[in-house]
């Protein structure tokens, strides 16, 4: 006798745009992100750990306001458990590039990824950019499927990974 698959977990955490007071928790999350998924981000744990706290604080203050770039975090209280950023595309003024998307492993499959992307999309629309684009390392099938479930489609565009020449990334897009 086979049992039915377990229903998806529907645990949620509030998502908000980072605030200057989030700097220390954001630094901790950044180090976690880099340790858990080193191919997905553009710096190493060692590089991030070496950066002074003042640098993190300045970056968080910068992305906490305006329409050029923004970062959103999932905050259940205590440690942050998810992150997604967005920035204006230098080549397409109606496009937001989604970057640094991460969900803590214990929160994956809970719908938190969708909540983070929804916040980036709402910010993008409010800033007059109706399109989202992100890049996924070719072969990262779990991320590809997750983004596909959120409405992203593979554009067919492949670009070299910015840090690891042996890897390629694929571009996915959807309306904001």
């Amino acid at each position: 006798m086979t049992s039915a698959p377990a229903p998806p977990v529907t645990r949620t955490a509030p998502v908000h745009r980072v605030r200057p007071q989030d700097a220390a928790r954001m630094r901790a999350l950044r180090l976690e992100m880099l340790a858990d998924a080193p191919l997905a981000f553009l710096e190493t744990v060692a590089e991030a750990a070496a950066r002074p706290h003042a640098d993190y604080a300045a970056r968080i203050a910068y992305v906490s306001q305006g329409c050029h770039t923004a970062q959103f975090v999932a905050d259940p209280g205590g440690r942050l458990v998810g992150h997604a950023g967005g920035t204006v595309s230098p080549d397409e003024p109606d496009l937001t590039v989604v970057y640094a998307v991460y969900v803590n492993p214990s929160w994956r499959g809970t719908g938190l990824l969708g909540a983070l992307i929804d916040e980036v999309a709402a910010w993008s629309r409010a800033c007059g950019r109706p399109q989202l684009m992100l890049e996924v390392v070719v072969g990262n099938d779990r991320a590809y499927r997750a983004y596909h479930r959120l409405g992203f489609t593979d554009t067919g565009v492949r670009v070299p990974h910015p840090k690891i020449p042996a890897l390629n990334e694929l571009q996915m897009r959807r309306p904001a």
Side-chain angles (χ1 to χ4, degrees):
M1 178 191 226
T2 60
S3 61
V9 178
T10 56
R11 182 170 54 152
T12 62
V15 176
H16 64 83
R17 189 168 184 175
V18 292
R19 303 173 297 242
Q21 62 264 34
D22 293 326
R25 294 187 307 149
M26 188 55 220
R27 183 176 195 271
L29 181 63
R30 180 70 178 167
L31 295 174
E32 175 186 322
M33 293 163 63
L34 294 167
D36 184 57
L39 296 180
F41 306 106
L42 301 182
E43 68 179 339
T44 67
V45 174
E47 290 166 340
R51 191 173 317 114
H53 177 74
D55 289 358
Y56 278 93
R59 173 72 178 163
I60 296 307
Y62 176 71
V63 299
S64 70
Q65 58 188 344
C67 279
H68 185 265
T69 189
Q71 293 182 16
F72 298 87
V73 291
D75 186 358
R79 290 185 64 87
L80 300 174
V81 297
H83 176 275
T87 191
V88 65
S89 168
D91 302 322
E92 296 181 56
D94 67 339
L95 178 69
T96 290
V97 177
V98 179
Y99 68 91
V101 179
Y102 177 78
V103 174
N104 176 281
S106 69
W107 284 79
R108 293 176 187 158
T110 66
L112 193 54
L113 175 64
L116 287 159
I117 295 297
D118 285 349
E119 288 297 320
V120 174
W123 169 79
S124 182
R125 288 189 309 273
C127 293
R129 293 189 299 273
Q131 294 291 313
L132 300 178
M133 187 274 291
L134 54 78
E135 295 173 342
V136 178
V137 172
V138 172
N140 186 346
D141 296 335
R142 180 183 175 127
Y144 181 88
R145 287 189 307 271
Y147 293 128
H148 190 266
R149 283 191 298 272
L150 295 176
F152 285 89
T153 58
D154 188 339
T155 65
V157 174
R158 302 297 184 263
V159 296
H161 188 283
K163 291 280 192 169
I164 305 167
L167 297 177
N168 286 314
E169 295 183 314
L170 60 92
Q171 291 184 353
M172 301 180 82
R173 289 186 182 227
R174 75 161 229 204

